[in-house]
Amino acid sequence: MTQANANEVGGSSASQAGSAKASFVMKCGGSTLAALPEAFFTDLAELQKSGVKSVIVHGGGPAISENLEKLGIPTEFVNGLRRTTEEVLDVVEMVLAGTINKLIVRRIQSAGGQALGLSGSDGSLIQAEPVPNAAEVGLVGDVTYVEASIVDGILDLGYMPVIAPLGVDESGQRYNINADTAAGAVASFIGASRMIVVTDVPGILKTIDGVKMALPSVTFAEIEDMIASGEIYGGMIPKVRAAMKCIHGEVQEVVIVDGSEPRVLPRLLSGEQIGTVIRR
């Protein structure tokens, strides 16, 4: 199943099941999470207590690289994706589903929230197939399906799902999945209306009159122009690409925000303009 077909299935299955229960899906990189203040997690916990249902999908690239280096395992990137062998994948799974995932769960719970950590392999939550350029990047996956009922079940139990971006196919083969891609797919399949990408920058930046400023909103066409001109580059490219892929059906927008901004989540959910909103 292609990503496009999967997204179409995700939109219809979410609607049929009435599973638009999550207020938002939040994607956060591992290094960003580590630097976030305790107040951010307190806000998450308070939102949960007030009835807001959120889902977290996280990355952990720097921690993976650090552990690979300690183990003497070489690592390389091809167009922003980590070349993933079985040996590399063992470390990816250990770091993402283990260290990083449980750190986030503990921080949420220490702030008074309730969280449950799992990876995309658990219950075949995130089903995947090799990316088109698998010959270059190895065991990197594209999402074909997300089992929304697992996410809904965890939310119904009163817990915040914290998901490590690993996938699995029908044969049990594991895949390393870009966290932005995984978060976009989760948002699509569970029918969340909004995805929030928490980063260490105030949004998508554009140079205006010699000054770099965060754009309040951008369209798909503007994003393509900025990628072509080089104003959007590096790690921001997979973020905006994943955002564009997941905006369909019930997913109306993706917001890129700086997680260190005071009370960023409550302010955003109350309607305040923060960061950059991506809409079709």
Side-chain angles (χ1 to χ4, degrees):
M1 187 182 297
T2 65
Q3 177 67 47
N5 289 340
N7 281 347
E8 290 167 9
V9 171
S12 62
S13 66
S15 297
Q16 291 165 7
S19 59
K21 296 178 180 179
S23 302
F24 63 89
V25 171
M26 184 180 86
K27 183 271 170 177
C28 197
S31 57
T32 301
L33 276 163
L36 287 174
E38 289 303 318
F40 182 89
F41 294 93
T42 300
D43 288 341
L44 262 181
E46 290 300 323
L47 287 169
Q48 184 184 43
K49 290 173 185 174
S50 72
V52 173
K53 294 186 175 183
S54 55
V55 179
I56 297 175
V57 180
H58 65 85
I64 292 168
S65 296
E66 182 182 337
N67 278 270
L68 286 169
E69 185 177 355
K70 286 179 181 176
L71 294 168
I73 301 172
T75 183
E76 60 180 299
F77 289 85
V78 179
N79 296 325
L81 297 175
R82 186 186 302 274
R83 188 173 183 279
T84 307
T85 62
E86 284 285 0
E87 187 179 30
V88 169
L89 193 48
D90 283 341
V91 177
V92 169
E93 186 171 51
M94 174 184 72
V95 173
L96 290 181
T99 309
I100 301 292
N101 189 270
K102 303 317 171 195
L103 171 62
I104 297 168
V105 169
R106 288 195 302 272
R107 291 195 74 180
I108 293 169
Q109 292 178 166
S110 295
Q114 290 187 296
L116 194 153
L118 68 165
S119 82
S121 298
D122 296 318
S124 296
L125 171 62
I126 298 177
Q127 297 165 36
E129 64 184 6
V131 293
N133 62 331
E136 295 177 275
V137 298
L139 297 169
V140 176
D142 269 337
V143 180
T144 59
Y145 189 75
V146 174
E147 188 54 70
S149 63
I150 295 176
V151 178
D152 291 341
I154 293 170
L155 290 170
D156 287 343
L157 288 169
Y159 289 86
M160 193 183 307
V162 179
I163 303 169
L166 296 158
V168 65
D169 66 16
E170 291 179 356
S171 72
Q173 174 62 55
R174 302 169 298 169
Y175 292 94
N176 180 15
I177 300 176
N178 175 274
D180 296 288
T181 301
V186 168
S188 295
F189 277 91
I190 69 172
S193 62
R194 174 186 279 172
M195 186 170 95
I196 300 173
V197 179
V198 178
T199 68
D200 56 0
V201 295
I204 296 177
L205 303 177
K206 184 178 179 67
T207 302
I208 300 173
D209 296 331
V211 180
K212 278 200 169 186
M213 303 173 63
L215 297 173
S217 65
V218 290
T219 63
F220 284 16
E222 288 168 335
I223 286 173
E224 293 295 353
D225 288 344
M226 291 178 71
I227 290 174
S229 70
E231 285 189 284
I232 294 177
Y233 61 92
M236 188 60 78
I237 293 177
K239 284 183 175 58
V240 296
R241 292 280 190 214
M244 291 191 291
K245 277 186 180 180
C246 86
I247 297 176
H248 68 90
E250 294 183 57
V251 184
Q252 299 296 312
E253 64 182 30
V254 176
V255 189
I256 299 177
V257 298
D258 184 349
S260 66
E261 184 80 20
R263 296 189 60 76
V264 63
L265 294 178
R267 289 164 58 198
L268 186 61
L269 294 179
S270 71
E272 186 175 335
Q273 168 60 54
I274 304 177
T276 301
V277 179
I278 300 174
R279 296 191 182 96
R280 184 175 291 281

